[in-house]
Amino acid sequence: MRRNTLTLAAIAALLPLVGCSDATNANSRPRIAYVTNGVDPFWTVAEAGAKQAGEDLAVDVLVRMPSGGLVDQKQILEDLLTQGVDGIAVSPIDHVNQTSFLDDVATRVPLVTHDSDAPGSKRLAFVGMDNYDAGRMAGAALEKALPQGGEVMLFIGRLEQDNARLRVQGVVDELLDRARDDSRRDAPDAVLRGERYTVLGVMTDQFDKSVAKANAADALTAHPEIDAMVGLFAYNPPAILEALRQAGKLGTVTVVGFDEQDATLQGIVDGDVAATVVQDPYQYGYQSVLMLTRIARGDQDAVPASGLVDIPARTIGPAEVEAFWTDKKAKLGEK
C-alpha cells in the first residue's frame, strides 16, 4: 500500500518551476520517451497528454507503443537508450521478469513507471492510481448493479502486469466482502464463493482482442446462467459486448468495465454496461513527461518522496457518462 501521495494539484502548482532549478539547463530541450505496454485507444489518450506536455514544456516527446509484447518492449527501450534520450517513462509488461533489465535502464537514464508499476525495480517513481482500490471500485459498481449477487467471470489481458493482478484481486476481495489486503493472491482458476457472489475465475487473452472476444463467448457457453462479466483491460468490455450481442444476451448479463473505449461508453448510454472504472491516461502521459523534464533540467525536487504521483480512478455510470465522454473528445481534439 502506498501512502503520502503527491496529488495532481500539488504537481500543477510546481509546473512554473520546470526548467528554473538549474540556469545552465534552463534553455535545454530534453528528449523524453513515453513507452506503453501495447497498442490501444487507451494509449492514444495517454499519447495526447504526453504530447501536450511536450508543447507546454518545450521538450521533444517520443511515444512508442510495442505491438509484439515483452520482447518488442525490451527492444524499444534498448533503441531509446542508443538514441540517447534524457528520460524514459514505461508501463512494464512483466515487472517481475523485467526488474533486472529495468534496473539496468535506470542506471543509464532517469526512469519512471506509469499505469503499471515495477515496485521492486530502481525506477524513480510511479505515475498512476492504486489498482487494487480501482478493482474494489469495479466490484462495488457490480454490487450496486447486481445487489442480489450471482455468478461472475473476470476478463483481463495478462496477470504478469502489476496493475492486472491488483485489479483482479480488488474485484474479488470486494465481491467476497474481504478486508483490504493488496498482497493477497488467489489462483486465477479458482472458483471463489462468498455470501452473494461466486467468482467463476479469471480468463486471460495476452492482449489479443480476438481471444478476448472468444473468452467471453466461451464463458457464455460454459456458464449459460452467468449473471455478470467484468472486463478489466480497456478492450475487454467491448469484446464482452460483442460476444453478448452475437449470443443474443445483451441486457441479460450485467457488465462492468474498465477504462474508456467508445464502445464501453456507448454501452453505458445504451444501458448494456452498468458502469466503468476509468483512469486518467491523459494525465499519465502529461505527468510522466513533466517529472522527467524537471529531472532533466536539474530540479532536485522533481521526484516525490513517496515515489508516487497519485492520479485517482473514477467510476463512470449513466449519470456521468455524457460529461466524461465530452471531456475525452475535447482532449483528443474530436467533436
Side-chain angles (χ1 to χ4, degrees):
M1 176 64 180
R2 305 176 183 91
R3 300 289 185 185
N4 302 319
T5 57
L6 187 66
T7 65
L8 287 178
I11 285 284
L14 293 170
L15 182 59
L17 297 176
V18 174
C20 298
S21 298
D22 188 337
T24 62
N25 293 327
N27 295 318
S28 66
R29 190 175 179 90
R31 301 174 74 230
I32 305 300
Y34 187 79
V35 182
T36 73
N37 61 26
V39 180
D40 190 87
F42 174 89
W43 292 120
T44 302
V45 180
E47 178 180 25
K51 291 293 182 67
Q52 186 60 55
E55 291 183 20
D56 292 347
L57 306 172
V59 300
D60 295 324
V61 177
L62 291 69
V63 178
R64 300 289 185 265
M65 300 186 187
S67 59
L70 184 62
V71 173
D72 192 16
Q73 187 181 70
K74 183 175 185 290
Q75 185 62 57
I76 285 172
L77 292 171
E78 290 174 341
D79 290 345
L80 289 168
L81 290 173
T82 300
Q83 293 170 32
V85 295
D86 298 291
I88 296 175
V90 63
S91 178
I93 290 174
D94 182 352
H95 75 99
V96 173
N97 291 313
Q98 280 181 287
T99 295
S100 178
F101 175 67
L102 293 174
D103 286 347
D104 180 58
V105 173
T107 64
R108 301 168 65 182
V109 68
L111 177 72
V112 302
T113 54
H114 62 88
D115 175 59
S116 186
D117 197 10
S121 73
K122 295 178 181 178
R123 56 88 171 132
L124 294 174
F126 171 60
V127 179
M129 65 179 184
D130 188 312
N131 279 278
Y132 178 83
D133 285 348
R136 294 202 75 130
M137 289 170 64
L142 179 56
E143 290 173 323
K144 181 178 179 181
L146 192 70
Q148 70 273 23
E151 294 187 342
V152 184
M153 184 68 79
L154 310 185
F155 302 86
I156 201 162
R158 49 192 166 224
L159 289 170
E160 294 85 356
Q161 293 178 202
D162 186 62
N163 61 347
R165 180 191 68 79
L166 289 168
R167 286 180 202 177
V168 166
Q169 199 62 58
V171 174
V172 171
D173 288 355
E174 180 67 26
L175 295 180
L176 300 187
D177 297 316
R178 292 169 168 174
R180 192 189 196 288
D181 181 0
D182 60 8
S183 66
R184 187 183 289 115
R185 293 172 180 260
D186 289 308
D189 58 350
V191 177
L192 304 169
R193 293 182 172 84
E195 291 188 9
R196 289 184 296 160
Y197 300 92
T198 297
V199 179
L200 299 170
V202 184
M203 302 185 76
T204 60
D205 53 64
Q206 298 302 311
F207 239 111
D208 187 322
K209 295 176 179 61
S210 63
V211 175
K213 178 184 172 184
N215 282 348
D218 290 346
L220 290 171
T221 300
H223 306 280
E225 302 302 317
I226 193 170
D227 298 288
M229 294 178 156
V230 181
L232 293 169
F233 273 4
Y235 58 84
N236 289 123
I240 291 169
L241 291 174
E242 215 174 319
L244 288 172
R245 185 176 294 110
Q246 290 187 359
K249 291 191 174 183
L250 270 180
T252 65
V253 176
T254 300
V255 178
V256 170
F258 220 95
D259 295 325
E260 55 197 56
Q261 280 207 10
D262 286 352
T264 302
L265 299 179
Q266 188 62 52
I268 296 175
V269 172
D270 295 339
D272 298 322
V273 176
T276 188
V277 175
V278 298
Q279 306 176 73
D280 192 341
Y282 187 90
Q283 287 297 332
Y284 287 4
Y286 197 102
Q287 300 301 330
S288 295
V289 172
L290 170 59
M291 185 188 303
L292 289 168
T293 299
R294 292 179 61 194
I295 293 170
R297 288 178 172 159
D299 188 341
Q300 300 301 312
D301 299 318
V303 180
S306 65
L308 171 67
V309 176
D310 184 33
I311 303 176
R314 291 190 291 157
T315 301
I316 303 298
E320 300 84 12
V321 66
E322 183 177 349
F324 177 82
W325 205 348
T326 299
D327 179 65
K328 176 192 169 184
K329 290 176 180 177
K331 287 175 177 175
L332 291 174
E334 300 174 352
K335 294 183 180 180

